[in-house]
Amino acid sequence: MIPLTWRPVETRGGHDFVVAPDERLSWPRTLGIGAQHVVAMFGATFLVPVLTGFPPATTLLFSGIGTLLFLLITGNRLPSYLGSSFSVIAPVTAAVASHGAGSALGGLVAVGVLLIGIGLTVQLVGTHWIEVTLPPVVTGAIVALIGFNLAPAAKTNFERGPLVGIVTLVLLVAALAFFRGLIGRLAIFLAVAAGYLLALTLGEVDTAGIAAAGWLGLPTFQTPSLTVAVLPMFLPAVIALVAENIGHVKSVGQMTGVDTDPLTGRALAADGVATVLAGLGGGSATTTYAENIGVMAATRVYSTAAYWVAGMVAIVLSLCPKVGAAISAIPPGVLG
C-alpha cells in the first residue's frame, strides 16, 4: 500500500530546517510550493514540443500524468517533476523530417520501453554495471553532442528574430551567471517570458491563434508508428535519461540525508512508463528536472505533496487550449 499521507510540520527558525518527503507544510503553503515547481519546469518543458512541432498542451498533460505516476511507482518517497527531455529533440526532429511524426513518437515509445527494462535490471542487480559501462566521460560527451545537434535549429530561429533573440540570450546568460538561487534555476522561464513580452511589443507575435482558442478543451492526440530505421537515432537519448535520473536520485539523497539509492531502479522504470505513455499519445519524452531540484534546494522543502500539487496543476493547465496556443506563439527569436 502506497502511503498518500504526510505528517504536517510547521516552519521554525534555523538554517537546518528541512521538510522531508513524507512531511508537508500547511496546505496553503504546499500549494504555493507546488506552483513554484510548475513555474520552474514551465520554460524548459515547453521549449521541447515547440522546437519539435508537437502540441504543447499534449506534452503538458503527459508531463503532469507522468509526474503523478512517478510518485506512485517510487512509493511516494522520491520528490520529482517529470518535464520534457532535451535529449530527444535531435532524433525527433530527424525522424519527423524523414518518416513523419508517427515514427518519432514510435521512437519515444521504444526509448521508454528500454528505460523500463534498465530500471527493472537496476532494481534487481543495482547500479554498479551502469557506473562501469557509462562513466561520466561517456554520458558527458553524449549530452554535449545532443547540444551540438541542436545548433542548426537554434541558428535558423535566431536569424528570424535577431533582436529578440539577442535580448533573450543576454538575459538568460546573465541570470545563470549572477544568480545562484531560485532565480538562477528559473533562468529559462524568465528569459523566455521577457523575450516574449519584447516580441509582443514589437508586433512579432501572432495573437490570432490565442484569441481563437477556447478556454476549455482536450489536447490534440497523435498515434505512434513503428519505424525501425529511426530507432538507432534514439539510443543516445536513453543514455542521457539514465544519467539524468540517477543524478536526480543521488541529489535528493544528498540534500535530505536519506539513502535514496534503493529507489534508483524504480525511478528509471517510472520515467520509462511516463515516456511510453507520452509517446502513445503525442507528448514528449520525460525526465527529472534540475530546475525543480533548484526549487527544493532554495526552499529546503522536499515534500512529495508539493509535487502532487504540481502534477495536478499541469494537467489542469493542459485542458486550457489558450495556454497551448500562447506557448505555440513563442516567437522564433526566443526559441533560437
Side-chain angles (χ1 to χ4, degrees):
M1 186 69 179
I2 299 172
L4 294 181
T5 57
W6 299 267
R7 183 167 59 88
V9 296
E10 295 295 330
T11 56
R12 52 185 181 270
H15 177 71
D16 295 333
F17 176 72
V18 169
V19 180
D22 61 345
E23 299 176 335
R24 66 166 176 84
L25 298 173
S26 64
W27 280 115
R29 290 182 177 180
T30 298
L31 290 173
I33 295 294
Q36 285 190 71
H37 282 299
V38 173
V39 172
M41 68 83 187
F42 215 79
T45 291
F46 271 123
L47 279 180
V48 176
V50 172
L51 288 171
T52 56
F54 287 174
T58 309
T59 290
L60 184 59
L61 173 65
F62 286 111
S63 174
I65 294 174
T67 296
L68 302 186
L69 286 174
F70 184 95
L71 294 170
L72 287 173
I73 294 173
T74 58
N76 204 33
R77 291 182 288 166
L78 190 65
S80 177
Y81 188 91
L82 294 188
S84 300
S85 172
F86 276 67
S87 65
V88 300
I89 294 178
V92 165
T93 302
V96 170
S98 60
H99 294 85
S103 68
L105 293 174
L108 296 184
V109 172
V111 166
V113 170
L114 183 55
L115 197 56
I116 292 172
I118 294 173
L120 294 176
T121 304
V122 168
Q123 194 66 24
L124 291 174
V125 303
T127 60
H128 180 69
W129 65 279
I130 292 181
E131 296 166 357
V132 172
T133 57
L134 297 175
V137 66
V138 174
T139 55
I142 289 173
V143 172
L145 287 173
I146 289 170
F148 287 134
N149 282 331
L150 299 179
K155 178 177 179 293
T156 300
N157 282 299
F158 199 86
E159 290 173 344
R160 294 170 60 190
L163 176 59
V164 173
I166 289 173
V167 172
T168 303
L169 180 60
V170 169
L171 290 175
L172 175 60
V173 173
L176 290 171
F178 297 109
F179 296 95
R180 289 288 183 263
L182 187 58
I183 293 179
R185 290 298 183 182
L186 298 180
I188 291 179
F189 173 80
L190 296 175
V192 167
Y196 202 123
L197 291 175
L198 176 60
L200 275 172
T201 303
L202 297 176
E204 296 182 8
V205 178
D206 183 4
T207 59
I210 303 174
W215 287 101
L216 186 64
L218 289 173
T220 303
F221 298 106
Q222 301 180 71
T223 304
S225 60
L226 180 61
T227 305
V228 178
V230 306
L231 296 183
M233 296 189 295
F234 287 85
L235 292 179
V238 178
I239 298 174
L241 292 176
V242 169
E244 289 169 346
N245 276 277
I246 291 177
H248 180 87
V249 173
K250 291 186 178 299
S251 294
V252 171
Q254 290 174 355
M255 291 189 297
T256 60
V258 176
D259 181 15
T260 54
D261 285 350
L263 297 173
T264 302
R266 289 193 180 199
L268 290 167
D271 192 12
V273 170
T275 296
V276 168
L277 189 61
L280 291 174
S284 301
T286 61
T287 189
T288 52
Y289 257 35
E291 288 87 343
N292 297 98
I293 283 283
V295 173
M296 290 191 288
T299 61
R300 302 182 69 78
V301 176
Y302 306 97
S303 172
T304 56
Y307 284 97
W308 280 94
V309 171
M312 288 186 281
V313 168
I315 293 172
V316 170
L317 289 176
S318 73
L319 301 178
C320 178
K322 277 195 181 297
V323 173
I327 300 302
S328 296
I330 293 177
V334 174
L335 296 179

